[in-house]
Amino acid sequence: GPGSGKTTVALFKAQQRFPTLKPGQEVLFLSFSRAAIRQVLLRCKEILTPKERSAVTVQTYHAFCMGMLAVYGRLLNGRPVRFNYPADERLQKSAFDGDWNAERQRQAADDGVYCFDLFASGTAELLEQCSALRTLIGDRYPMIIVDEFQDTDDSQWRIVRALAQVTDVF
């Protein structure tokens, strides 16, 4: 439960891994909210040395997915990915007459336009379809810590499952 030391244990596990990291490798720490990220970063300062902290990337799932789509999203349909931010999506939805969820899925698949809540499914698709990309991410992050795993949705679980093929997931 809350306050039982899960994050602390995860950071101690990462600390044990640091001596084995090669140049350019990092430990990736994924969480769900910016508030949780702030807490993790504070805990990092308490537990890890500055050198160890420099080898930890702490991100929300959405930030990780947005970065993956921005850099590698072209692999999905040959087009650069664009993002439909929440305010813009609300305007488009209000002017759209039809099944908005189906339209959002179509925009992502056909036009490479991703709404905020489709970031994870797009990233999962990338990682599931492209073994070279999975390997690249696994080489960069030989250990991935998933914080608050009980909050993982189906698309985020697909990401974790794909990455678990090429890296250690804790």
Side-chain angles (χ1 to χ4, degrees):
S4 64
K6 297 180 300 292
T7 300
T8 300
V9 169
L11 290 173
F12 282 136
K13 289 236 182 233
Q15 194 173 44
Q16 288 179 327
R17 180 55 82 75
F18 290 126
T20 68
L21 295 179
K22 298 174 186 167
Q25 289 185 325
E26 298 178 356
V27 171
L28 176 61
F29 198 111
L30 292 176
S31 196
F32 287 90
S33 68
R34 290 188 298 266
I37 294 297
R38 284 190 295 276
Q39 291 301 316
V40 170
L41 292 172
L42 287 172
R43 190 61 46 91
C44 283
K45 285 183 180 180
E46 295 170 1
I47 295 172
L48 305 177
T49 67
K51 185 176 181 179
E52 291 168 338
R53 284 195 310 267
S54 71
V56 176
T57 296
V58 182
Q59 290 185 311
T60 63
Y61 266 102
H62 278 96
F64 174 75
C65 292
M66 186 176 189
M68 290 289 293
L69 288 170
V71 175
Y72 305 107
R74 183 183 288 268
L75 295 171
L76 291 170
N77 67 6
R79 300 170 194 220
V81 166
R82 293 176 293 137
F83 300 109
N84 198 1
Y85 295 100
D88 295 329
E89 181 185 1
R90 281 191 298 274
L91 286 173
Q92 288 179 8
K93 182 179 179 180
S94 68
F96 186 77
D97 185 29
D99 182 350
W100 179 246
N101 191 46
E103 174 61 13
R104 291 176 334 121
Q105 296 288 338
R106 187 207 60 76
Q107 286 179 4
D110 296 347
D111 304 331
V113 177
Y114 284 83
C115 297
F116 186 77
D117 61 339
L118 295 179
F119 289 3
S121 61
T123 301
E125 187 177 344
L126 265 173
L127 292 169
E128 290 166 347
Q129 291 181 9
C130 188
S131 63
L133 180 57
R134 278 194 312 273
T135 300
L136 180 71
I137 300 304
D139 287 345
R140 173 72 191 269
Y141 302 112
M143 180 181 195
I144 298 175
I145 299 168
V146 181
D147 192 37
E148 302 295 335
F149 184 76
Q150 71 277 5
D151 296 327
T152 305
D153 68 21
D154 289 344
S155 293
Q156 294 159 342
W157 169 237
R158 289 172 52 208
I159 292 168
V160 170
R161 194 173 55 224
L163 291 174
Q165 296 174 37
V166 294
T167 189
D168 293 331
V169 176
F170 178 78

